[in-house]
Amino acid sequence: MPDGIERLPNDRSRKRVGSDLLAANVHGWLRSKILTFEIKPGTRLVEDEISASMNVGRTPVREALLRLQGEGLVSREKGWVVESTDAASIDHVFASRVAIEGYATHVAALRATPADIRELRALAEEMDGFEAMGRAQLNLLNRRFHERIVGLSGNPFFVEMHERTQFHYWNMRLPVLFTREQAVVANEQHKRIIDALEACDPDAAERHAREHVETTHRIVRDALDG
């Protein structure tokens, strides 16, 4: 075909593009509900029901579910099921968090703006008042803090992988309550991370992030081991 003349898509390619877009929409919708536990672990996902609720054919639904399977969010055994995470996987989850959050924080130190730093400090200051709030509220603030830093890396793959580690962590419903002293230490570690980000020191930021996740891992592991 001569240069400068664009080939128009045929009917088959148009249908393929349309199917891909629909699959992406179904995937995004299901993924959001799974990650926020609106659809709970152990829930069966029926293709026909999803097709009807989203007014799409079964092909994009199947493609979306296969992608979720590849991400470890659903499994397929006599039907599709939202994945449940065994507490025995805790070490793998934290190893993944150390790797992802550590380097994402390294990159964030090169990208964070003064406005980003102010936002993170506001979250840390709010967490200082943990004794006057419920556990759910503290968990929400903590989650926002970590998600914000990973987001500052500007790397959508880090964000996606971090969401998956968070899903598997909260999926386990760990019966762990931090003591007052542990909560204070955790937020002091948050502030050291912020200081390193503000100083544009990627090595220190990564070191403090890894130390923070490893500290949480030890607390959880000690609680599980009794």
Side-chain angles (χ1 to χ4, degrees):
M1 179 170 288
D3 291 341
I5 299 179
E6 183 178 356
R7 184 187 295 274
L8 293 174
N10 57 32
D11 288 343
R12 180 176 295 178
S13 63
R14 287 194 189 97
K15 289 179 181 177
R16 178 70 260 174
V17 170
S19 179
D20 288 345
L21 289 173
L22 287 173
N25 290 338
V26 177
H27 170 266
W29 183 77
L30 286 172
R31 190 174 194 274
S32 174
K33 289 185 176 296
I34 290 170
L35 289 174
T36 58
F37 296 100
E38 189 172 340
I39 300 178
K40 294 179 170 49
T43 300
R44 290 203 167 273
L45 301 175
V46 180
E47 292 181 20
D48 287 341
E49 292 178 358
I50 298 170
S51 297
S53 64
M54 296 199 70
N55 194 28
V56 297
R58 289 188 63 180
T59 296
V61 172
R62 174 71 59 83
E63 291 173 355
L65 289 168
L66 287 170
R67 182 175 171 186
L68 290 168
Q69 182 182 34
E71 294 173 345
L73 298 180
V74 305
S75 58
R76 190 179 185 187
E77 185 176 350
K78 296 181 180 178
W80 297 100
V81 180
V82 177
E83 191 64 84
S84 297
T85 306
D86 193 316
S89 302
I90 191 67
D91 294 335
H92 298 307
V93 171
F94 273 100
S96 299
R97 283 191 60 187
V98 167
I100 296 164
E101 293 187 45
Y103 193 68
T105 306
H106 180 110
V107 177
L110 303 174
R111 297 171 52 89
T113 67
D116 295 326
I117 300 300
R118 287 194 295 273
E119 181 182 350
L120 290 170
R121 288 203 186 281
L123 286 169
E125 288 171 5
E126 192 170 355
M127 282 187 278
D128 275 336
F130 67 90
E131 290 182 290
M133 66 179 71
R135 182 186 182 189
Q137 177 64 15
L138 178 60
N139 288 343
L140 177 61
L141 292 171
N142 181 70
R143 193 165 181 171
R144 284 178 182 167
F145 179 87
H146 290 278
E147 287 174 347
R148 187 71 185 99
I149 291 177
V150 175
L152 288 175
S153 71
N155 189 320
F157 294 102
F158 286 167
V159 172
E160 180 179 332
M161 289 186 288
H162 180 254
E163 287 176 343
R164 289 169 62 182
T165 65
Q166 290 294 292
F167 166 77
H168 287 293
Y169 177 70
W170 294 109
N171 191 347
M172 284 185 265
R173 298 288 197 274
L174 297 169
V176 179
L177 286 173
F178 281 40
T179 65
R180 181 187 183 281
E181 291 73 19
Q182 289 168 339
V184 169
V185 168
N187 211 30
E188 287 303 317
Q189 290 176 332
H190 288 159
K191 293 172 185 177
R192 285 198 286 273
I193 294 170
I194 298 170
D195 290 341
L197 293 174
E198 187 171 33
C200 301
D201 188 337
D203 291 335
E206 179 173 356
R207 183 174 66 254
H208 291 313
R210 292 174 68 94
E211 177 187 2
H212 175 59
V213 176
E214 288 165 352
T215 297
T216 304
H217 185 192
R218 286 195 297 273
I219 292 170
V220 172
R221 173 51 65 196
D222 289 347
L224 292 176
D225 291 343

